[in-house]
Amino acid sequence: MICGNLYTMRLFVTYAIMLFILGLPSVKVTGQQFDSLSLSLQAAESRGLYLSNPERSIQISNQLIANANQVDNKYFKGYGNYLLSKAYWAKGNYQLSTKYGFSALTILEETPYKYMWGETLVALARTLIDLKNFDQADQFLGQAMALASTSHHDKLEADVSRERSMFFLEQKKYDSALYCANHGIAYYETISDTLNLSVLYGRKASIYASLKDYKTSMTFNKLAIRFDSIIDNKRALGIAYYQAAFNEFNLRHLETSAEFLNKSINLVHENGSFKTLIKAHSLFGEIYLNQNKPELGYQELKLVSQFKDSLYSVERSGQVQEMQSLYELGKKEATIINLELEKKNQRILAIVLIAGIVLLLLLIFVLWRLRIVQKRANDALAFKNQSVEHQREEMQTQAENLQELNNLKSKLFSVISHDLRGPIGNLQALLDMVTRRIMTPEEFISVSHRLKENLNVTQRTLENLLSWSLSQMEGLKTEQDRFDIRHLIDEACRLLEEVAQRKNITLETSSETCIPVLADHNQIQLIIRNLLHNAIKFSREDGTVVLTALTDDEFCHISIRDNGIGMTSKETNMLLEKNQHFTKAGTHQEKGTGLGLMLCQEFVKRNGGSLTIESNPGAGTSVSFTVPLAVTELLTQAPQVR
């Protein structure tokens, strides 16, 4: 008995620690505190007593449920109902065992407490096995095994195997029953679970007894009796004594069998296991009949009938079915409530989603509008930046042009001041010498031809300077008139004939009978005169300068070609480059300002034509320019330019 008390205490502490490890939060109630530890201790105490003292276990479990209700602790409410189901099963009250089992299942199913949920299913299955409701028991055991697999609870899996051994035993499937019993024993031995080992040793004793292997049955039954005595499991001990009596009866040890039956009946009467009482009194009846004591046998069989009437009446069976129907109805009602709640939540979710979509659309619209505004602002800024950049480029170009013009003007004024000052200074000196009679008139006449040449150069320089200045200041206007260009060619040849004769240069002209052009008369005259003067200037003595004028459909092509010193390609490019000042001494060291060709380019452009230069060093130069024709109808008989 001392050993049994020690085991009960150890079991009590073990369950208390196990439940405390669950980490359930403590809850305070007015005037009293029930935390997870205090509730766990109550639960552990009830569980340690449900087999040895089920009445006390029932009292503690009811108090546990009351305390759990005060703090609204769902886990311990379910656990309390589970313990009541176990205690009433130990008493053989299957009606209340089933009632509290379904109550516990209603509380614990679909919760995170999968272990206790599975243990509740196992407890219900055990009760239903005793009531021969094998289909429902098999269903509950299957659900418990699924929970054990998903939550990896080896203890729960072993408990399922333990009750399946009973399930198969009741259906006389002994091989399956032995397999499940051995599977459970293998696990319980690893954790030294004496209680469940005693149950399964007793189960194996029942299996071998059913197989009529009474000696093997007695071996396992002795182990069950020893373990049940150690842990003070009176209910199991009563069943084990009955099993020992059954084995002894079949081995024809009637006196020994009767002794075991008396021990069994005394223990079973304490916890009210009517099923074992029925078996024990039935066996007593058979013993009395075998001992030729029919009256005593009749009394035992009469007790058996009474116990059967109280335990297996149709009314009791109907109550169990009714409790199961109530449980299923409760599940359906809970399902309906959950569906309605889910539907309500879905409506709320739909409203929230619609509101979210509307807000998202509004946000997208606002962002779209902001992007449009930003794009417009960026476009306007880009346009302004582009305008500023264009203005900056124009100002840069203008500044460069002004700088080029300023440099050109500086060079031209430097040249002009030297070229004009020299001849005028020479003329002033000669006149001063004549006035002082230092030079005689004859001597003055002898140098007058050179003086005239200098004055002619000075005059042309002044004319070019005036024309160039007017063109740069936009004061010079181009007034286009219709005239015959042959007259300008002939006039230029007459004006420069004396200059050409000094170098013995022949001037030749070749033109059509009549070439009417539309241009500024004075500007074209200046162009021809300057180009002809340059041709004479760079021609050697006894050379030839040829002037030709030919037409095509739109233009008159005027060409002035000499066989003088020519120019390099670099010099030609410098002459044609805009605002590039270039001058070169003639064959008799004639000086120039470089303004003449610049004016020619300017005036050709003003009159809608173009100017080209072809030259090779030592082979002469050919300068050509075009002038628009005045009336194209008059040119139908003119030869074409080749």
Side-chain angles (χ1 to χ4, degrees):
M1 185 62 68
I2 294 175
C3 294
N5 291 334
L6 289 174
Y7 178 79
T8 302
M9 181 60 67
R10 189 181 69 173
L11 187 65
F12 172 82
V13 174
T14 301
Y15 280 114
I17 294 173
M18 182 184 70
L19 295 172
F20 177 70
I21 291 174
L22 292 173
L24 300 173
S26 61
V27 183
K28 290 184 178 180
V29 182
T30 305
Q32 190 175 11
Q33 177 178 345
F34 298 113
D35 58 13
S36 59
L37 180 57
S38 62
L39 295 175
S40 298
L41 291 173
Q42 280 187 308
E45 184 181 5
S46 175
R47 183 159 188 156
L49 294 172
Y50 84 92
L51 290 173
S52 60
N53 191 350
E55 291 294 339
R56 179 58 181 160
S57 177
I58 291 171
Q59 292 177 1
I60 297 172
S61 297
N62 284 322
Q63 186 61 46
L64 173 64
I65 294 172
N67 295 339
N69 283 327
Q70 288 186 49
V71 297
D72 194 21
N73 190 309
K74 187 174 184 178
Y75 175 80
F76 283 107
K77 283 192 288 186
Y79 199 2
N81 281 276
Y82 161 77
L83 291 172
L84 286 174
S85 175
K86 297 284 284 186
Y88 280 113
W89 170 81
K91 285 175 62 65
N93 191 336
Y94 299 122
Q95 178 182 356
L96 293 179
S97 176
T98 308
K99 172 185 176 183
Y100 288 110
F102 280 118
S103 297
L105 185 60
T106 303
I107 296 171
L108 293 172
E109 68 179 346
E110 306 301 335
T111 66
Y113 314 118
K114 292 186 178 180
Y115 177 77
M116 281 309 306
W117 177 8
E119 287 292 338
T120 301
L121 289 168
V122 172
L124 268 172
R126 183 66 178 88
T127 304
L128 293 171
I129 290 170
D130 287 348
L131 293 172
K132 309 299 182 181
N133 190 346
F134 296 119
D135 291 338
Q136 187 64 55
D138 185 48
Q139 181 181 348
F140 283 165
L141 288 174
Q143 293 176 10
M145 182 59 76
L147 288 172
S149 298
T150 57
S151 57
H152 306 290
H153 278 297
D154 294 336
K155 174 66 166 56
L156 179 58
E157 184 178 346
D159 291 347
V160 173
S161 295
R162 182 193 67 209
E163 300 308 332
R164 277 204 181 276
S165 68
M166 186 64 184
F167 175 81
F168 290 124
L169 175 59
E170 290 292 324
Q171 297 183 84
K172 299 182 180 181
K173 297 178 181 179
Y174 303 121
D175 291 339
S176 298
L178 279 174
Y179 173 81
C180 292
N182 290 329
H183 183 270
I185 289 171
Y187 175 77
Y188 294 134
E189 285 179 344
T190 61
I191 62 173
S192 300
D193 189 340
T194 309
L195 174 62
N196 284 300
L197 284 173
S198 70
V199 171
L200 288 178
Y201 287 143
R203 191 72 41 78
K204 291 186 71 172
S206 298
I207 295 171
Y208 282 110
S210 299
L211 293 171
K212 298 183 180 181
D213 186 354
Y214 303 114
K215 291 184 178 181
T216 304
S217 176
M218 288 178 66
T219 301
F220 286 108
N221 198 58
K222 288 178 181 178
L223 290 173
I225 291 173
R226 187 178 65 173
F227 284 131
D228 289 335
S229 299
I230 291 173
I231 62 176
D232 196 26
N233 186 351
K234 294 179 180 180
R235 181 184 185 281
L237 191 59
I239 296 173
Y241 282 141
Y242 165 77
Q243 186 64 53
F246 182 79
N247 290 334
E248 294 292 344
F249 174 80
N250 285 283
L251 292 173
R252 311 312 297 173
H253 302 151
L254 300 181
E255 294 296 333
T256 306
S257 177
E259 292 176 3
F260 281 123
L261 280 177
N262 283 322
K263 292 180 180 180
S264 175
I265 290 171
N266 290 332
L267 289 172
V268 171
H269 269 297
E270 292 182 15
N271 55 52
S273 179
F274 293 104
K275 186 175 182 181
T276 306
L277 285 173
I278 292 170
K279 291 181 179 180
H281 286 288
S282 295
L283 185 57
F284 245 135
E286 292 187 23
I287 292 173
Y288 287 139
L289 290 175
N290 280 275
Q291 292 176 344
N292 295 317
K293 298 177 181 179
E295 293 181 358
L296 294 176
Y298 173 75
Q299 291 178 0
E300 294 295 331
L301 294 176
K302 187 176 180 181
L303 288 173
V304 169
S305 178
Q306 292 175 359
F307 288 137
K308 284 185 177 180
D309 289 340
S310 61
L311 182 62
Y312 295 111
S313 65
V314 177
E315 179 183 4
R316 181 178 299 276
S317 178
Q319 289 173 344
V320 172
Q321 295 297 326
E322 181 181 355
M323 284 182 286
Q324 183 173 350
S325 299
L326 289 173
Y327 160 73
E328 293 176 352
L329 179 60
K331 286 187 65 175
K332 292 180 180 179
E333 291 177 350
T335 303
I336 293 172
I337 293 172
N338 290 333
L339 288 174
E340 291 179 351
L341 182 60
E342 184 178 355
K343 188 180 294 184
K344 182 178 179 181
N345 292 335
Q346 288 178 350
R347 286 199 296 268
I348 295 173
L349 180 61
I351 293 172
V352 172
L353 287 176
I354 292 172
I357 292 172
V358 172
L359 290 175
L360 182 61
L361 291 175
L362 289 175
L363 179 61
I364 293 173
F365 176 75
V366 171
L367 292 176
W368 176 69
R369 290 295 301 170
L370 289 174
R371 184 167 183 177
I372 290 177
V373 172
Q374 184 179 8
K375 187 176 182 301
R376 290 177 179 174
N378 291 339
D379 292 343
L381 181 61
F383 178 76
K384 290 182 180 179
N385 291 337
Q386 188 176 5
S387 300
V388 171
E389 183 65 21
H390 288 165
Q391 293 176 359
R392 189 186 68 79
E393 291 176 357
E394 291 177 359
M395 292 175 64
Q396 183 68 22
T397 303
Q398 291 176 358
E400 292 175 356
N401 292 336
L402 289 174
Q403 184 64 33
E404 291 177 359
L405 288 174
N406 187 52
N407 294 337
L408 180 60
K409 289 175 183 177
S410 298
K411 291 179 182 179
L412 291 177
F413 282 130
S414 174
V415 173
I416 291 167
S417 62
H418 179 270
D419 291 347
L420 291 179
R421 186 181 298 171
I424 293 175
N426 292 335
L427 177 60
Q428 184 179 7
L430 288 172
L431 292 175
D432 185 57
M433 291 174 66
V434 172
T435 303
R436 294 181 181 182
R437 299 184 184 277
I438 297 174
M439 179 181 289
T440 62
E442 290 78 10
E443 292 174 339
F444 179 77
I445 292 171
S446 65
V447 297
S448 61
H449 66 281
R450 296 182 61 185
L451 180 62
K452 182 178 180 182
E453 290 179 4
N454 290 336
L455 290 175
N456 289 336
V457 172
T458 301
Q459 182 181 2
R460 284 196 302 274
T461 300
L462 287 173
E463 289 177 355
N464 289 338
L465 177 61
L466 178 61
S467 299
W468 181 82
S469 300
L470 290 173
S471 67
Q472 295 301 311
M473 294 184 295
E474 299 297 333
L476 182 66
K477 295 182 179 180
T478 300
E479 297 179 355
Q480 295 181 337
D481 294 323
R482 183 176 178 277
F483 60 90
D484 187 356
I485 200 168
R486 291 181 309 161
H487 298 309
L488 293 185
I489 294 173
D490 294 340
E491 182 180 356
C493 289
R494 285 195 303 270
L495 290 174
L496 295 175
E497 184 177 6
E498 182 180 353
V499 177
Q501 288 176 355
R502 293 193 191 104
K503 300 176 71 173
N504 198 24
I505 293 174
T506 303
L507 300 179
E508 297 181 359
T509 61
S510 175
S511 63
E512 301 171 7
T513 56
C514 179
I515 305 176
V517 297
L518 185 63
D520 188 292
H521 183 278
N522 294 326
Q523 293 177 5
I524 299 300
Q525 185 182 44
L526 185 144
I527 293 169
I528 296 174
R529 190 165 65 245
N530 271 287
L531 294 179
L532 182 58
H533 183 271
N534 284 342
I536 296 171
K537 176 181 176 181
F538 295 107
S539 294
R540 299 183 182 90
E541 290 188 1
D542 301 323
T544 302
V545 177
V546 180
L547 284 80
T548 60
L550 301 175
T551 62
D552 59 15
D553 293 338
E554 298 181 5
F555 293 97
C556 173
H557 296 263
I558 302 165
S559 175
I560 301 173
R561 185 177 69 256
D562 63 70
N563 55 1
I565 60 177
M567 293 181 292
T568 64
S569 59
K570 181 178 180 181
E571 291 173 339
T572 303
N573 293 333
M574 291 178 65
L575 286 173
L576 293 175
E577 190 173 341
K578 184 180 180 182
N579 292 333
Q580 181 66 40
H581 175 260
F582 172 73
T583 183
K584 185 176 181 180
T587 55
H588 284 187
Q589 300 303 312
E590 297 97 329
K591 297 180 180 180
T593 61
L595 280 175
L597 191 59
M598 291 177 61
L599 282 172
C600 291
Q601 292 183 75
E602 178 74 20
F603 289 163
V604 168
K605 183 178 179 181
R606 283 174 173 266
N607 285 276
S610 61
L611 185 143
T612 59
I613 299 175
E614 295 179 2
S615 180
N616 291 308
T621 302
S622 176
V623 182
S624 302
F625 69 95
T626 59
V627 181
L629 294 175
V631 182
T632 57
E633 292 83 357
L634 299 177
L635 302 178
T636 55
Q637 298 178 351
Q640 300 300 308
V641 176
R642 296 180 183 179

